[in-house]
Amino acid sequence: MRSQDEIIKDIKTVLEEKVAQNVAAHNGSIGFINFAFDTGVATLKLSGACSGCAMSQRTLKEGVERLLKHYVPEVNSIV
């Protein structure tokens, strides 16, 4: 079983290396807020242009959530 620190580090790494640049290309940013180990829910924050974008929820669910679940198997969903 992996430690909480390892899981959080992996979530942040995926966000930084695989997500942040694409979100920044649309004048937005994404950040880690929390990870609930009991439910596997990662809480993230979209800001900048992404925070008010109608496509942001689709981006989160279809893009970011899929990536996090793939690279960090402890993640079940994101909000």
Side-chain angles (χ1 to χ4, degrees), residues 1-77:
M1 183 173 204
R2 297 185 332 136
S3 74
Q4 294 179 1
D5 289 340
E6 288 175 307
I7 295 167
I8 290 173
K9 180 179 179 266
D10 286 350
I11 291 170
K12 289 179 178 180
T13 298
V14 170
L15 291 176
E16 290 170 13
E17 295 180 359
K18 305 202 178 291
V19 179
Q21 186 174 5
N22 291 326
V23 174
H26 295 274
N27 297 316
S29 63
I30 189 165
F32 173 81
I33 294 176
N34 187 38
F35 180 69
F37 297 92
D38 56 338
T39 61
V41 176
T43 303
L44 309 176
K45 179 179 180 178
L46 281 175
S47 57
C50 292
S51 64
C53 176
M55 295 297 291
S56 65
Q57 289 304 311
R58 185 172 181 185
T59 298
L60 282 173
K61 288 295 182 184
E62 293 180 13
V64 179
E65 184 174 83
R66 189 173 356 141
L67 276 171
L68 280 176
K69 289 168 102 173
H70 176 77
Y71 289 104
V72 188
E74 293 84 358
V75 173
N76 293 323
S77 65

